[in-house]
Amino acid sequence: MSILGGGVFKGMVVTLRNFVGSYFYKDRLTTNDYSWRPNDKLPQRAGDYPKEEGEQLRDTTTVTNYSRNFPMLLHDGGEPMDTVRCVACQICERECPPQCIYIEKSTEKKENASGKPQFYPATFDIDVSVCMSCQICVEVCPFDAIVMNSQFELSTPNRFGGLLLRRDDLLKSNDYYHRIHPEEAAARDQRIADEKAAKQAKKMAAAEAAKNKAEEKARAEAEANKDTADAEKDAE
Amino acid sequence: MNTATAPNYELIQQDGLETSLLEISMGPHHPSTHGVFRMDVKLDGETVVDLKPVFGYLHRNHEKLAENMSYLSSMPFTDRLDYFNSMANNWAYALAAEKLIEVEVPERAEYLRVVMAELTRLVNHVSLIGFFLNDLGALGTPLLYAFREREKILDLFEQASGARMMCNYFRFGGLRNDVPVGWIGRAREVVDRFPVFLDEYEQLLCENEIILSRTQGVGNLSRELAINAGITGPMLRASGVNYDLRKVDQYGIYDRFKFRVPYGEAGDCYDRFMVRMLEMRESVEILKQALEGIPEGPVMGNAPRVFKPNPAEVYGRIEGPKGELGFYLIADGTPKPYRYRVRPPSLINLTVLRDMCLGGKIADTVIILGSIDIVLGEVDR
Amino acid sequence: MSHIVSHEPILMKFPGTNWDEEAGALVVPTAQAVAIATWLRDNDAFSLDYCSNVTGVDYLEREIKEKITNKEGKMETVARTEPSRMDVVYHLYSMQKQTGPLVFKQRTNREQPEVESLTPVWRSCELQEREVFDLFGVNFKGHPDQRRILMWDEFEGHPMRKDYTEPFDYEWEPTPHDEILEKHQRGKVIV
């Protein structure tokens, strides 16, 4: 445009188009729309946060099925400490980049979900003011015991201890994990099942092989005994 | 002549007036300095006579921390170097570390890496233009239009890796996990709508007389000085040098994509702004080609469980959105690196800040700093 | 692919340099550094006009055990002490010819580290050499503006050195509690 101010005018046409369009087309809005959240659901005082297992304010405009925030320990249902998967191997403590995990192993073993006596964590503290949600603890855990939670509303009025999550705060059930990260939880369960099946198949194959070998040996011995018995008979 | 000399400047003399230089610290807390960055500026009226940049306010000693941690554990810290482009930083580190061990990255992982890197480039350039216009005084309109598109791309990052900005997605030998079902379709939708947004953005900005008169001729950087001062990235290309690491080094699988490299002539702020606009269009081209061709397959190669490379030195670099991001690693046979060095493009691009700003007005200083595109996380590490 | 630069002509022209095979780098004596760098930049065959990365590396005195075959043909482990040194490493590329990298090292001792500054040759070394001075303590002769860049001006010590110990009171907190409060009440002790 050759008029002075023509370029500015063209730009203003764009702004006007966006302004009018934002009343009709949602994707012209530049802000999040929080109208889904009815006011009575918001906590009014510090202690109002819902404490039941799995109950959290799901802000569905910002928390999705894929987002990760702070870690949590998994247990397989029932009483948390009876079926806890963590065996306090301390690999996540070593690999954690900002060193925010503190683990103390228990002194005696206890039976875990599959009946095997294992150590368990007597103390498992994560300092969420240090944790940077990098997910490396999840990657290096050999027992699928620690995974990422998506709960972010963890603020507390207690400055000196409130941001330290202890073991019992961190324990959440596998069902809860399926509710917040369905795809990831399903994939993880599938992988555990596959590994177990593979191990079972290997054990069966080894047992088969051992059984065959034992049968071979028994047959060979029987042959040898028969031969010596025949030889003795002939000698008589 | 390689080192620039300050122009011989004469103070304004007028009969009866006693003048002196005004020293201002455009201090660390400043809305236009893109982070905690300080400039000690000596002014004569409104003209800049001397300028000294001061940084180090965000120095977190990333290099020393990495010497005490395993190679994998410093991957999340590379996210936080240039916090707008976490995927690109991850790729540079993964590239450098993969040179230390023999590992083959699977095809699907290579394609996804290119997709993530180009999406990051789109995010960076569009946010930078938004911030640049904020510095010019546009008070947020182009910035929020840019952020509207950025939100869509950050949603894609969240679905792939779990976090919007600090993704920690790349690993030595591939990627951490595969993208979920339907991600490629969603990415294609975003990429198809991007040129429409770019057309609207260009109509908003590129013929605006205020922008033209404030950015053309401001902050000229000559070609020879740019090469000698080690400037890389869009700033170098705006000064007329055709040097893009995606074409020179051809790391990853960039040799399979057809794209052009835009470069400018005058090396002023307007050229840097336009080079970034054009680069976004080229990134959309690359993305279209990459998203068409993603094969099925695994996303993680056979990297060793414990990453313990043989003693060697390696320098791996990529064309990050801000310039050449390089990692220099010295391995000594233990699981921790002996020396870990980040070559920060933002820091080196700041070498010529003083040369470009001398003799101009103080308002131009803010624009020039905006067009250099710095992120303090990278400058200070 | 960026073509690697061949280093043979440099070794022939400047007899003081030698090639470190393990690192793939050209080790240059400090006295000739500026001359060699200028030649590398201006010579048409090389035209290394872009210095990409300048970094310092600190090596303490260490013992290296190597397995070699001795005269009788048997493998034996030989230990040798590698003396301490400090390196300044430059990565050079050529934008004109699109070749590179050539790794260029200047070696110096750890007690009084001093090397030639290559800022008059490549301007990109300016801020990076300041960083090496700040974090390692290497003195660059001929640098136009050598002062601390990332740490504050009154800081003492050079953090990236391998034998650097942090001062005791780095955990200063405005509202100390628990252990930190106890340490403060006992008085600050700088080790």
Side-chain angles (χ1 to χ4, degrees), chain C residues 23-45:
Chain C
L26 190 74
V27 181
V28 162
T30 309
Q32 296 183 333
V34 177
I36 299 180
T38 320
W39 183 81
L40 282 173
R41 189 193 66 193
D42 296 331
N43 180 301
D44 280 330

mmCIF file of all heavy atoms in Angstrom, chain C residues 23-45:
data_model
loop_
_atom_site.group_PDB
_atom_site.id
_atom_site.type_symbol
_atom_site.label_atom_id
_atom_site.label_comp_id
_atom_site.label_asym_id
_atom_site.label_seq_id
_atom_site.Cartn_x
_atom_site.Cartn_y
_atom_site.Cartn_z
ATOM 1 N N ALA C 23 44.109 -37.660 21.138
ATOM 2 C CA ALA C 23 43.034 -36.683 21.197
ATOM 3 C C ALA C 23 42.676 -36.158 19.817
ATOM 4 O O ALA C 23 41.681 -35.491 19.657
ATOM 5 C CB ALA C 23 43.435 -35.519 22.084
ATOM 6 N N GLY C 24 43.498 -36.427 18.832
ATOM 7 C CA GLY C 24 43.230 -35.879 17.495
ATOM 8 C C GLY C 24 43.399 -34.390 17.465
ATOM 9 O O GLY C 24 42.596 -33.698 16.847
ATOM 10 N N ALA C 25 44.439 -33.861 18.152
ATOM 11 C CA ALA C 25 44.559 -32.412 18.287
ATOM 12 C C ALA C 25 45.976 -31.968 17.984
ATOM 13 O O ALA C 25 46.932 -32.720 18.127
ATOM 14 C CB ALA C 25 44.188 -31.983 19.698
ATOM 15 N N LEU C 26 46.080 -30.715 17.582
ATOM 16 C CA LEU C 26 47.366 -30.112 17.275
ATOM 17 C C LEU C 26 47.847 -29.392 18.525
ATOM 18 O O LEU C 26 47.181 -28.485 19.004
ATOM 19 C CB LEU C 26 47.126 -29.100 16.159
ATOM 20 C CG LEU C 26 48.320 -28.497 15.479
ATOM 21 C CD1 LEU C 26 48.921 -29.516 14.579
ATOM 22 C CD2 LEU C 26 47.892 -27.297 14.695
ATOM 23 N N VAL C 27 48.989 -29.798 19.072
ATOM 24 C CA VAL C 27 49.476 -29.125 20.278
ATOM 25 C C VAL C 27 50.484 -28.084 19.851
ATOM 26 O O VAL C 27 51.452 -28.379 19.162
ATOM 27 C CB VAL C 27 50.128 -30.151 21.221
ATOM 28 C CG1 VAL C 27 50.608 -29.451 22.464
ATOM 29 C CG2 VAL C 27 49.133 -31.229 21.563
ATOM 30 N N VAL C 28 50.259 -26.870 20.282
ATOM 31 C CA VAL C 28 51.007 -25.728 19.774
ATOM 32 C C VAL C 28 51.771 -25.080 20.923
ATOM 33 O O VAL C 28 51.195 -24.880 21.987
ATOM 34 C CB VAL C 28 49.994 -24.731 19.171
ATOM 35 C CG1 VAL C 28 50.590 -23.386 19.019
ATOM 36 C CG2 VAL C 28 49.485 -25.240 17.863
ATOM 37 N N PRO C 29 53.049 -24.789 20.752
ATOM 38 C CA PRO C 29 53.759 -24.094 21.838
ATOM 39 C C PRO C 29 53.258 -22.667 21.971
ATOM 40 O O PRO C 29 52.932 -22.006 20.990
ATOM 41 C CB PRO C 29 55.219 -24.130 21.379
ATOM 42 C CG PRO C 29 55.171 -24.366 19.941
ATOM 43 C CD PRO C 29 53.927 -25.097 19.621
ATOM 44 N N THR C 30 53.201 -22.205 23.208
ATOM 45 C CA THR C 30 52.551 -20.924 23.492
ATOM 46 C C THR C 30 53.178 -19.768 22.735
ATOM 47 O O THR C 30 52.500 -18.861 22.290
ATOM 48 C CB THR C 30 52.636 -20.654 24.998
ATOM 49 O OG1 THR C 30 52.166 -21.807 25.666
ATOM 50 C CG2 THR C 30 51.794 -19.485 25.380
ATOM 51 N N ALA C 31 54.502 -19.798 22.586
ATOM 52 C CA ALA C 31 55.160 -18.650 21.974
ATOM 53 C C ALA C 31 54.733 -18.454 20.530
ATOM 54 O O ALA C 31 54.663 -17.330 20.042
ATOM 55 C CB ALA C 31 56.680 -18.835 22.051
ATOM 56 N N GLN C 32 54.426 -19.550 19.831
ATOM 57 C CA GLN C 32 54.084 -19.406 18.421
ATOM 58 C C GLN C 32 52.590 -19.367 18.173
ATOM 59 O O GLN C 32 52.159 -19.349 17.029
ATOM 60 C CB GLN C 32 54.614 -20.617 17.654
ATOM 61 C CG GLN C 32 56.088 -20.747 17.660
ATOM 62 C CD GLN C 32 56.485 -21.938 16.810
ATOM 63 O OE1 GLN C 32 55.714 -22.885 16.647
ATOM 64 N NE2 GLN C 32 57.662 -21.894 16.269
ATOM 65 N N ALA C 33 51.803 -19.398 19.242
ATOM 66 C CA ALA C 33 50.368 -19.608 19.043
ATOM 67 C C ALA C 33 49.732 -18.558 18.145
ATOM 68 O O ALA C 33 48.995 -18.887 17.221
ATOM 69 C CB ALA C 33 49.647 -19.646 20.388
ATOM 70 N N VAL C 34 50.024 -17.280 18.405
ATOM 71 C CA VAL C 34 49.354 -16.248 17.613
ATOM 72 C C VAL C 34 49.801 -16.318 16.161
ATOM 73 O O VAL C 34 48.994 -16.179 15.234
ATOM 74 C CB VAL C 34 49.646 -14.855 18.201
ATOM 75 C CG1 VAL C 34 49.021 -13.795 17.349
ATOM 76 C CG2 VAL C 34 49.090 -14.754 19.596
ATOM 77 N N ALA C 35 51.086 -16.591 15.955
ATOM 78 C CA ALA C 35 51.565 -16.658 14.565
ATOM 79 C C ALA C 35 50.898 -17.793 13.809
ATOM 80 O O ALA C 35 50.447 -17.632 12.665
ATOM 81 C CB ALA C 35 53.083 -16.838 14.574
ATOM 82 N N ILE C 36 50.827 -18.956 14.461
ATOM 83 C CA ILE C 36 50.205 -20.099 13.784
ATOM 84 C C ILE C 36 48.736 -19.831 13.533
ATOM 85 O O ILE C 36 48.201 -20.128 12.462
ATOM 86 C CB ILE C 36 50.368 -21.367 14.635
ATOM 87 C CG1 ILE C 36 51.840 -21.673 14.810
ATOM 88 C CG2 ILE C 36 49.670 -22.530 13.995
ATOM 89 C CD1 ILE C 36 52.094 -22.900 15.628
ATOM 90 N N ALA C 37 48.069 -19.234 14.509
ATOM 91 C CA ALA C 37 46.635 -18.988 14.347
ATOM 92 C C ALA C 37 46.388 -18.009 13.206
ATOM 93 O O ALA C 37 45.475 -18.203 12.389
ATOM 94 C CB ALA C 37 46.052 -18.450 15.645
ATOM 95 N N THR C 38 47.201 -16.967 13.136
ATOM 96 C CA THR C 38 47.012 -16.009 12.049
ATOM 97 C C THR C 38 47.259 -16.669 10.701
ATOM 98 O O THR C 38 46.522 -16.434 9.737
ATOM 99 C CB THR C 38 47.981 -14.823 12.219
ATOM 100 O OG1 THR C 38 48.049 -14.493 13.583
ATOM 101 C CG2 THR C 38 47.512 -13.641 11.423
ATOM 102 N N TRP C 39 48.286 -17.523 10.651
ATOM 103 C CA TRP C 39 48.556 -18.201 9.379
ATOM 104 C C TRP C 39 47.395 -19.109 8.981
ATOM 105 O O TRP C 39 46.990 -19.166 7.835
ATOM 106 C CB TRP C 39 49.848 -19.012 9.525
ATOM 107 C CG TRP C 39 50.253 -19.695 8.277
ATOM 108 C CD1 TRP C 39 50.918 -19.136 7.219
ATOM 109 C CD2 TRP C 39 50.039 -21.054 7.930
ATOM 110 N NE1 TRP C 39 51.134 -20.072 6.248
ATOM 111 C CE2 TRP C 39 50.609 -21.264 6.655
ATOM 112 C CE3 TRP C 39 49.433 -22.126 8.577
ATOM 113 C CZ2 TRP C 39 50.570 -22.495 6.015
ATOM 114 C CZ3 TRP C 39 49.393 -23.355 7.949
ATOM 115 C CH2 TRP C 39 49.963 -23.526 6.673
ATOM 116 N N LEU C 40 46.841 -19.810 9.985
ATOM 117 C CA LEU C 40 45.732 -20.711 9.686
ATOM 118 C C LEU C 40 44.517 -19.946 9.195
ATOM 119 O O LEU C 40 43.764 -20.420 8.348
ATOM 120 C CB LEU C 40 45.325 -21.490 10.944
ATOM 121 C CG LEU C 40 46.202 -22.655 11.332
ATOM 122 C CD1 LEU C 40 45.753 -23.179 12.677
ATOM 123 C CD2 LEU C 40 46.109 -23.748 10.303
ATOM 124 N N ARG C 41 44.337 -18.741 9.719
ATOM 125 C CA ARG C 41 43.170 -17.980 9.302
ATOM 126 C C ARG C 41 43.346 -17.414 7.918
ATOM 127 O O ARG C 41 42.402 -17.373 7.130
ATOM 128 C CB ARG C 41 42.923 -16.865 10.310
ATOM 129 C CG ARG C 41 41.615 -16.144 10.080
ATOM 130 C CD ARG C 41 41.553 -14.886 10.875
ATOM 131 N NE ARG C 41 42.553 -13.958 10.389
ATOM 132 C CZ ARG C 41 42.927 -12.868 11.012
ATOM 133 N NH1 ARG C 41 42.387 -12.572 12.166
ATOM 134 N NH2 ARG C 41 43.827 -12.082 10.507
ATOM 135 N N ASP C 42 44.580 -16.948 7.590
ATOM 136 C CA ASP C 42 44.758 -16.217 6.340
ATOM 137 C C ASP C 42 45.151 -17.081 5.169
ATOM 138 O O ASP C 42 44.964 -16.696 4.023
ATOM 139 C CB ASP C 42 45.814 -15.123 6.535
ATOM 140 C CG ASP C 42 45.347 -14.106 7.550
ATOM 141 O OD1 ASP C 42 44.131 -13.914 7.663
ATOM 142 O OD2 ASP C 42 46.210 -13.510 8.218
ATOM 143 N N ASN C 43 45.699 -18.249 5.477
ATOM 144 C CA ASN C 43 46.159 -19.109 4.389
ATOM 145 C C ASN C 43 44.989 -19.613 3.554
ATOM 146 O O ASN C 43 43.955 -19.974 4.094
ATOM 147 C CB ASN C 43 46.891 -20.282 5.029
ATOM 148 C CG ASN C 43 47.427 -21.238 4.018
ATOM 149 O OD1 ASN C 43 46.703 -21.793 3.228
ATOM 150 N ND2 ASN C 43 48.726 -21.397 4.036
ATOM 151 N N ASP C 44 45.159 -19.656 2.241
ATOM 152 C CA ASP C 44 44.024 -20.011 1.381
ATOM 153 C C ASP C 44 43.651 -21.475 1.463
ATOM 154 O O ASP C 44 42.498 -21.829 1.271
ATOM 155 C CB ASP C 44 44.354 -19.677 -0.078
ATOM 156 C CG ASP C 44 44.149 -18.216 -0.336
ATOM 157 O OD1 ASP C 44 43.276 -17.640 0.327
ATOM 158 O OD2 ASP C 44 44.874 -17.657 -1.181
ATOM 159 N N ALA C 45 44.649 -22.313 1.729
ATOM 160 C CA ALA C 45 44.320 -23.739 1.756
ATOM 161 C C ALA C 45 43.464 -24.063 2.960
ATOM 162 O O ALA C 45 42.599 -24.926 2.914
ATOM 163 C CB ALA C 45 45.595 -24.560 1.791
#
